[in-house]
Amino acid sequence: MTLLEKSTHALLITLCLISLAILARRELPSVLHSPNHSDINRTSWVGEHITVPGVQWGNASQNVLIGLRSNCSFCKASMPGYRKLARLRGSRTDIRVYVVSSEDEHVTSEFLSQSGVLTDGIGKVDMPSLGMVGTPSVYIVDTDGVVRSEFIGAGQDSNLLARLDATSKK
């Protein structure tokens, strides 16, 4: 192998390693950089107090916190259930619906608007710091900010209203 061939191979390997490092840094979840990354190992957040910037849990007896992403197919599939929840929220003063995402607020707002989902607030947060490692994630939170129920992943939208009512009776 000539010196030119060796240099070309070395350059290609270096470029591959740099590309891999850039891709890994961009694609790895932010949980690796979260101050609460050890919390990610929890199996349940029920009973835990959570804080979300800008959210006053005491404004309603039941608060629904939905974590989602606009490019999540399971989140898109869950929109019919969230629309029902939004309609219920409009007729009941004891329920507030908040949505958080790791995306910019305007992206989340546009996604929800196009889906016909109304909320009481939208925020950009480090979702893994709230235990939301899968989307969609739904927490039912009491007036003190304590998670009373959690539902992670697809399929929880069809029973969300029943689950919300069941939580209110606890």
Side-chain angles (χ1 to χ4, degrees), residues 40-57:
I40 208 67
N41 296 322
R42 292 185 196 200
T43 56
S44 174
W45 281 68
V46 173
E48 296 294 328
H49 182 273
I50 62 170
T51 302
V52 177
V55 173
Q56 299 292 323
W57 302 120

PDB file of all heavy atoms in Angstrom, residues 40-57:
ATOM      1  N   ILE A  40     -33.943   9.274  35.761  1.00  0.00           N
ATOM      2  CA  ILE A  40     -34.451   8.584  34.599  1.00  0.00           C
ATOM      3  C   ILE A  40     -34.655   7.098  34.882  1.00  0.00           C
ATOM      4  O   ILE A  40     -35.433   6.437  34.216  1.00  0.00           O
ATOM      5  CB  ILE A  40     -33.498   8.811  33.414  1.00  0.00           C
ATOM      6  CG1 ILE A  40     -34.265   8.737  32.116  1.00  0.00           C
ATOM      7  CG2 ILE A  40     -32.361   7.880  33.405  1.00  0.00           C
ATOM      8  CD1 ILE A  40     -35.228   9.842  31.944  1.00  0.00           C
ATOM      9  N   ASN A  41     -33.968   6.566  35.885  1.00  0.00           N
ATOM     10  CA  ASN A  41     -34.075   5.150  36.198  1.00  0.00           C
ATOM     11  C   ASN A  41     -35.321   4.809  37.010  1.00  0.00           C
ATOM     12  O   ASN A  41     -35.579   3.644  37.270  1.00  0.00           O
ATOM     13  CB  ASN A  41     -32.818   4.678  36.948  1.00  0.00           C
ATOM     14  CG  ASN A  41     -31.587   4.790  36.086  1.00  0.00           C
ATOM     15  OD1 ASN A  41     -31.640   4.536  34.891  1.00  0.00           O
ATOM     16  ND2 ASN A  41     -30.486   5.204  36.680  1.00  0.00           N
ATOM     17  N   ARG A  42     -36.075   5.810  37.407  1.00  0.00           N
ATOM     18  CA  ARG A  42     -37.300   5.555  38.149  1.00  0.00           C
ATOM     19  C   ARG A  42     -38.268   4.778  37.278  1.00  0.00           C
ATOM     20  O   ARG A  42     -38.378   5.017  36.089  1.00  0.00           O
ATOM     21  CB  ARG A  42     -37.977   6.852  38.556  1.00  0.00           C
ATOM     22  CG  ARG A  42     -37.231   7.629  39.573  1.00  0.00           C
ATOM     23  CD  ARG A  42     -38.063   8.806  39.962  1.00  0.00           C
ATOM     24  NE  ARG A  42     -37.214   9.764  40.654  1.00  0.00           N
ATOM     25  CZ  ARG A  42     -37.672  10.696  41.443  1.00  0.00           C
ATOM     26  NH1 ARG A  42     -38.951  10.819  41.632  1.00  0.00           N
ATOM     27  NH2 ARG A  42     -36.855  11.512  42.025  1.00  0.00           N
ATOM     28  N   THR A  43     -39.002   3.881  37.888  1.00  0.00           N
ATOM     29  CA  THR A  43     -40.019   3.161  37.128  1.00  0.00           C
ATOM     30  C   THR A  43     -41.343   3.895  37.177  1.00  0.00           C
ATOM     31  O   THR A  43     -42.191   3.683  36.336  1.00  0.00           O
ATOM     32  CB  THR A  43     -40.199   1.736  37.670  1.00  0.00           C
ATOM     33  OG1 THR A  43     -40.517   1.813  39.059  1.00  0.00           O
ATOM     34  CG2 THR A  43     -38.947   0.918  37.459  1.00  0.00           C
ATOM     35  N   SER A  44     -41.535   4.761  38.142  1.00  0.00           N
ATOM     36  CA  SER A  44     -42.778   5.504  38.251  1.00  0.00           C
ATOM     37  C   SER A  44     -42.521   6.847  38.923  1.00  0.00           C
ATOM     38  O   SER A  44     -41.716   6.962  39.831  1.00  0.00           O
ATOM     39  CB  SER A  44     -43.791   4.721  39.076  1.00  0.00           C
ATOM     40  OG  SER A  44     -44.945   5.494  39.310  1.00  0.00           O
ATOM     41  N   TRP A  45     -43.246   7.847  38.472  1.00  0.00           N
ATOM     42  CA  TRP A  45     -43.177   9.172  39.078  1.00  0.00           C
ATOM     43  C   TRP A  45     -44.402   9.444  39.934  1.00  0.00           C
ATOM     44  O   TRP A  45     -44.558  10.537  40.464  1.00  0.00           O
ATOM     45  CB  TRP A  45     -43.000  10.227  37.990  1.00  0.00           C
ATOM     46  CG  TRP A  45     -41.579  10.279  37.525  1.00  0.00           C
ATOM     47  CD1 TRP A  45     -40.916   9.319  36.826  1.00  0.00           C
ATOM     48  CD2 TRP A  45     -40.636  11.303  37.770  1.00  0.00           C
ATOM     49  NE1 TRP A  45     -39.620   9.694  36.601  1.00  0.00           N
ATOM     50  CE2 TRP A  45     -39.427  10.919  37.173  1.00  0.00           C
ATOM     51  CE3 TRP A  45     -40.699  12.516  38.424  1.00  0.00           C
ATOM     52  CZ2 TRP A  45     -38.285  11.696  37.217  1.00  0.00           C
ATOM     53  CZ3 TRP A  45     -39.563  13.307  38.465  1.00  0.00           C
ATOM     54  CH2 TRP A  45     -38.367  12.887  37.859  1.00  0.00           C
ATOM     55  N   VAL A  46     -45.294   8.473  40.053  1.00  0.00           N
ATOM     56  CA  VAL A  46     -46.482   8.645  40.885  1.00  0.00           C
ATOM     57  C   VAL A  46     -46.046   8.881  42.328  1.00  0.00           C
ATOM     58  O   VAL A  46     -45.204   8.171  42.863  1.00  0.00           O
ATOM     59  CB  VAL A  46     -47.416   7.419  40.781  1.00  0.00           C
ATOM     60  CG1 VAL A  46     -48.560   7.523  41.778  1.00  0.00           C
ATOM     61  CG2 VAL A  46     -47.943   7.276  39.369  1.00  0.00           C
ATOM     62  N   GLY A  47     -46.610   9.919  42.934  1.00  0.00           N
ATOM     63  CA  GLY A  47     -46.252  10.289  44.296  1.00  0.00           C
ATOM     64  C   GLY A  47     -45.121  11.287  44.388  1.00  0.00           C
ATOM     65  O   GLY A  47     -44.831  11.811  45.463  1.00  0.00           O
ATOM     66  N   GLU A  48     -44.487  11.593  43.261  1.00  0.00           N
ATOM     67  CA  GLU A  48     -43.373  12.539  43.242  1.00  0.00           C
ATOM     68  C   GLU A  48     -43.861  13.948  42.929  1.00  0.00           C
ATOM     69  O   GLU A  48     -44.777  14.147  42.138  1.00  0.00           O
ATOM     70  CB  GLU A  48     -42.335  12.131  42.190  1.00  0.00           C
ATOM     71  CG  GLU A  48     -41.672  10.801  42.468  1.00  0.00           C
ATOM     72  CD  GLU A  48     -40.821  10.808  43.710  1.00  0.00           C
ATOM     73  OE1 GLU A  48     -40.226  11.855  44.044  1.00  0.00           O
ATOM     74  OE2 GLU A  48     -40.737   9.756  44.352  1.00  0.00           O
ATOM     75  N   HIS A  49     -43.238  14.935  43.549  1.00  0.00           N
ATOM     76  CA  HIS A  49     -43.541  16.343  43.272  1.00  0.00           C
ATOM     77  C   HIS A  49     -42.752  16.780  42.051  1.00  0.00           C
ATOM     78  O   HIS A  49     -41.557  16.502  41.957  1.00  0.00           O
ATOM     79  CB  HIS A  49     -43.165  17.211  44.478  1.00  0.00           C
ATOM     80  CG  HIS A  49     -43.500  18.645  44.282  1.00  0.00           C
ATOM     81  ND1 HIS A  49     -42.637  19.525  43.677  1.00  0.00           N
ATOM     82  CD2 HIS A  49     -44.618  19.343  44.574  1.00  0.00           C
ATOM     83  CE1 HIS A  49     -43.201  20.712  43.624  1.00  0.00           C
ATOM     84  NE2 HIS A  49     -44.406  20.632  44.172  1.00  0.00           N
ATOM     85  N   ILE A  50     -43.419  17.441  41.114  1.00  0.00           N
ATOM     86  CA  ILE A  50     -42.721  17.960  39.943  1.00  0.00           C
ATOM     87  C   ILE A  50     -42.982  19.456  39.819  1.00  0.00           C
ATOM     88  O   ILE A  50     -44.009  19.960  40.265  1.00  0.00           O
ATOM     89  CB  ILE A  50     -43.111  17.234  38.639  1.00  0.00           C
ATOM     90  CG1 ILE A  50     -44.595  17.407  38.327  1.00  0.00           C
ATOM     91  CG2 ILE A  50     -42.727  15.779  38.686  1.00  0.00           C
ATOM     92  CD1 ILE A  50     -44.967  16.915  36.936  1.00  0.00           C
ATOM     93  N   THR A  51     -42.032  20.130  39.222  1.00  0.00           N
ATOM     94  CA  THR A  51     -42.143  21.566  38.987  1.00  0.00           C
ATOM     95  C   THR A  51     -41.946  21.824  37.506  1.00  0.00           C
ATOM     96  O   THR A  51     -40.991  21.323  36.910  1.00  0.00           O
ATOM     97  CB  THR A  51     -41.060  22.323  39.785  1.00  0.00           C
ATOM     98  OG1 THR A  51     -41.213  22.018  41.171  1.00  0.00           O
ATOM     99  CG2 THR A  51     -41.157  23.807  39.579  1.00  0.00           C
ATOM    100  N   VAL A  52     -42.850  22.599  36.942  1.00  0.00           N
ATOM    101  CA  VAL A  52     -42.752  22.999  35.540  1.00  0.00           C
ATOM    102  C   VAL A  52     -42.800  24.524  35.505  1.00  0.00           C
ATOM    103  O   VAL A  52     -43.736  25.118  36.038  1.00  0.00           O
ATOM    104  CB  VAL A  52     -43.910  22.407  34.698  1.00  0.00           C
ATOM    105  CG1 VAL A  52     -43.828  22.895  33.260  1.00  0.00           C
ATOM    106  CG2 VAL A  52     -43.887  20.887  34.752  1.00  0.00           C
ATOM    107  N   PRO A  53     -41.793  25.157  34.931  1.00  0.00           N
ATOM    108  CA  PRO A  53     -41.775  26.620  34.891  1.00  0.00           C
ATOM    109  C   PRO A  53     -43.066  27.190  34.307  1.00  0.00           C
ATOM    110  O   PRO A  53     -43.540  26.740  33.271  1.00  0.00           O
ATOM    111  CB  PRO A  53     -40.576  26.943  33.985  1.00  0.00           C
ATOM    112  CG  PRO A  53     -39.696  25.736  34.089  1.00  0.00           C
ATOM    113  CD  PRO A  53     -40.628  24.572  34.257  1.00  0.00           C
ATOM    114  N   GLY A  54     -43.644  28.161  35.004  1.00  0.00           N
ATOM    115  CA  GLY A  54     -44.841  28.834  34.528  1.00  0.00           C
ATOM    116  C   GLY A  54     -46.156  28.152  34.853  1.00  0.00           C
ATOM    117  O   GLY A  54     -47.221  28.659  34.524  1.00  0.00           O
ATOM    118  N   VAL A  55     -46.111  26.980  35.496  1.00  0.00           N
ATOM    119  CA  VAL A  55     -47.344  26.254  35.800  1.00  0.00           C
ATOM    120  C   VAL A  55     -47.658  26.381  37.288  1.00  0.00           C
ATOM    121  O   VAL A  55     -46.819  26.104  38.137  1.00  0.00           O
ATOM    122  CB  VAL A  55     -47.222  24.756  35.412  1.00  0.00           C
ATOM    123  CG1 VAL A  55     -48.443  23.985  35.888  1.00  0.00           C
ATOM    124  CG2 VAL A  55     -47.050  24.613  33.909  1.00  0.00           C
ATOM    125  N   GLN A  56     -48.881  26.814  37.575  1.00  0.00           N
ATOM    126  CA  GLN A  56     -49.384  26.907  38.945  1.00  0.00           C
ATOM    127  C   GLN A  56     -50.364  25.757  39.146  1.00  0.00           C
ATOM    128  O   GLN A  56     -51.509  25.832  38.702  1.00  0.00           O
ATOM    129  CB  GLN A  56     -50.087  28.254  39.163  1.00  0.00           C
ATOM    130  CG  GLN A  56     -49.197  29.454  38.981  1.00  0.00           C
ATOM    131  CD  GLN A  56     -48.140  29.540  40.066  1.00  0.00           C
ATOM    132  OE1 GLN A  56     -48.383  29.229  41.222  1.00  0.00           O
ATOM    133  NE2 GLN A  56     -46.942  29.947  39.686  1.00  0.00           N
ATOM    134  N   TRP A  57     -49.925  24.694  39.782  1.00  0.00           N
ATOM    135  CA  TRP A  57     -50.767  23.510  39.956  1.00  0.00           C
ATOM    136  C   TRP A  57     -52.032  23.806  40.761  1.00  0.00           C
ATOM    137  O   TRP A  57     -53.053  23.164  40.577  1.00  0.00           O
ATOM    138  CB  TRP A  57     -49.989  22.395  40.631  1.00  0.00           C
ATOM    139  CG  TRP A  57     -48.753  21.950  39.916  1.00  0.00           C
ATOM    140  CD1 TRP A  57     -47.482  21.992  40.395  1.00  0.00           C
ATOM    141  CD2 TRP A  57     -48.651  21.402  38.595  1.00  0.00           C
ATOM    142  NE1 TRP A  57     -46.594  21.512  39.458  1.00  0.00           N
ATOM    143  CE2 TRP A  57     -47.294  21.132  38.338  1.00  0.00           C
ATOM    144  CE3 TRP A  57     -49.575  21.115  37.598  1.00  0.00           C
ATOM    145  CZ2 TRP A  57     -46.838  20.585  37.144  1.00  0.00           C
ATOM    146  CZ3 TRP A  57     -49.126  20.577  36.397  1.00  0.00           C
ATOM    147  CH2 TRP A  57     -47.775  20.320  36.183  1.00  0.00           C
TER     148      TRP A  57
END
